[in-house]
Amino acid sequence: MRIPAIEQTYEGFMSRAYAIEVEAVERYTQFADQLESHNNREVAAVFRRLAEIEGLHAKHILDEMGWPSLPVLPVPYTGAEGPETAPFDSLHYLMQPYHALEIGLRCEIAAVRYFEDIAAASTDERVRKAANAMAADEREHVTLMRDWMKRVPQPKAGWDEDLDPPRMGD
C-alpha cells in the first residue's frame, strides 16, 4: 500500500483518523434521522449509539493531539469515502436492528484493514504505533458488533416486504 502524503506524518495521520471518525458520526446520524422520519425508532437508536461511539473516538483523537477543536482536515478521499463510512444505499426504511449492526460491522472491519495497512506501510514509528493502536480499537468494535448481533433477532425472509409502501403525492 502506498500511503497518501497527508498520512506519512503523525499529525497528518491523526488528522485523517479524526476525519474518518467525524465522517462516520455524520453518516450514522444521517441514517438515524432518516429512519426516525420513517418511524423506525428502534434502528434509529442503534445508529445513534454507533454515532456516539465514533464521536468518542473523535474526541479521544482531539485530546491525544492536544487540539482544542477541529484541526485542518485533510483533502477528501479520491473517489470514495472513508473506510468507516457506510454507503447511503445500505439503508432501508424497514431494516431491523440486526441490519444496522451488519452495516456497523462492515464499517469496523474496513477500518481495521485501513489502519493495519497504514501500520504495515508506514516508515514513521509514531504513525505505525498510532495506526496499530487504532486497528486494535477497531477490532474491539468488531467484537462488540458481533456480540450485539447475537442479542438481536435475525430478520426473517420477507422483512423488506411492505404491503402499504410509501407513495409520493401529486
Side-chain angles (χ1 to χ4, degrees):
M1 172 188 183
R2 185 181 167 287
I3 299 176
I6 187 71
E7 295 163 9
Q8 292 178 14
T9 67
Y10 181 67
E11 290 75 17
F13 170 74
M14 295 301 281
S15 179
R16 173 69 81 197
Y18 179 79
I20 288 168
E21 300 298 345
V22 168
E23 192 175 270
V25 169
E26 289 172 354
R27 183 59 49 84
Y28 286 143
T29 300
Q30 290 168 338
F31 282 4
D33 292 346
Q34 186 71 13
L35 287 164
E36 281 178 355
S37 74
H38 287 286
N39 294 314
N40 192 339
R41 289 179 180 83
E42 184 178 20
V43 179
V46 172
F47 281 121
R48 293 231 185 267
R49 179 68 179 127
L50 294 175
E52 181 182 315
I53 290 168
E54 300 306 336
L56 291 173
H57 267 175
K59 183 181 179 334
H60 176 76
I61 292 169
L62 288 178
D63 293 345
E64 170 90 15
M65 296 304 292
W67 292 330
S69 61
L70 181 74
V72 174
L73 295 178
V75 294
Y77 301 93
T78 312
E81 295 177 300
E84 216 168 359
T85 302
F88 275 116
D89 65 356
S90 57
L91 201 62
H92 189 285
Y93 72 103
L94 293 177
M95 70 190 317
Q96 296 170 21
Y98 191 88
H99 298 116
L101 295 171
E102 280 182 320
I103 291 169
L105 177 62
R106 284 192 301 270
C107 291
E108 298 300 338
I109 289 170
V112 168
R113 283 191 204 117
Y114 171 79
F115 289 122
E116 286 176 343
D117 288 350
I118 294 290
S122 181
T123 58
D124 183 298
E125 182 60 31
R126 289 175 71 195
V127 170
R128 215 174 19 256
K129 184 177 177 182
N132 277 322
M134 289 181 186
D137 286 345
E138 300 301 344
R139 280 191 290 277
E140 287 178 18
H141 288 174
V142 167
T143 300
L144 176 66
M145 292 296 147
R146 288 183 172 144
D147 288 346
W148 280 358
M149 290 172 78
K150 291 175 188 172
R151 294 187 298 221
V152 297
Q154 287 193 24
K156 293 182 178 16
W159 66 267
D160 57 347
E161 294 173 10
D162 189 350
L163 300 176
D164 186 19
R167 299 192 196 313
M168 295 295 291
D170 289 320

